[in-house]
Amino acid sequence: MTHAEIGRLTDETIRLSVRLGETAGLLMVAMQYAWLDGWVQGCRQATAGAEEMLEQQARTNRLVRQGVPIKAAARGLHLV
């Protein structure tokens, strides 16, 4: 091998290493975005579930105040 070939191969090795580092960095950013998206979705679902539960409790309490038995009010029946 000549000095020119060694120099060329060294340059190519450095360029490939830098490109590999860039790709790894982009992969890490993409993984963090995916993790964050999943976490936010879980929080939104938990919030929606809690709000639904509070609404159900409020409906039950209103029906109980109107004289509906607790068991019937808790079933969420719609009274006409």
Side-chain angles (χ1 to χ4, degrees):
M1 266 193 198
T2 64
H3 291 290
E5 289 177 345
I6 292 174
R8 183 185 59 78
L9 291 174
T10 302
D11 288 343
E12 187 175 339
T13 302
I14 291 171
R15 279 195 307 275
L16 288 174
S17 296
V18 169
R19 194 177 310 161
L20 180 62
E22 290 172 346
T23 303
L26 290 173
L27 178 62
M28 291 300 296
V29 169
M31 289 171 57
Q32 288 175 344
Y33 273 116
W35 175 84
L36 181 62
D37 182 55
W39 187 79
V40 168
Q41 266 187 344
C43 289
R44 286 181 181 157
Q45 288 175 349
T47 301
E51 287 173 354
E52 185 178 323
M53 184 180 69
L54 290 174
E55 289 173 10
Q56 176 64 33
Q57 287 176 347
R59 282 193 302 271
T60 300
N61 290 338
R62 278 193 303 274
L63 290 172
V64 169
R65 282 193 304 271
Q66 294 173 0
V68 176
I70 293 175
K71 287 185 179 183
R75 281 192 225 122
L77 300 176
H78 296 282
L79 301 177
V80 180

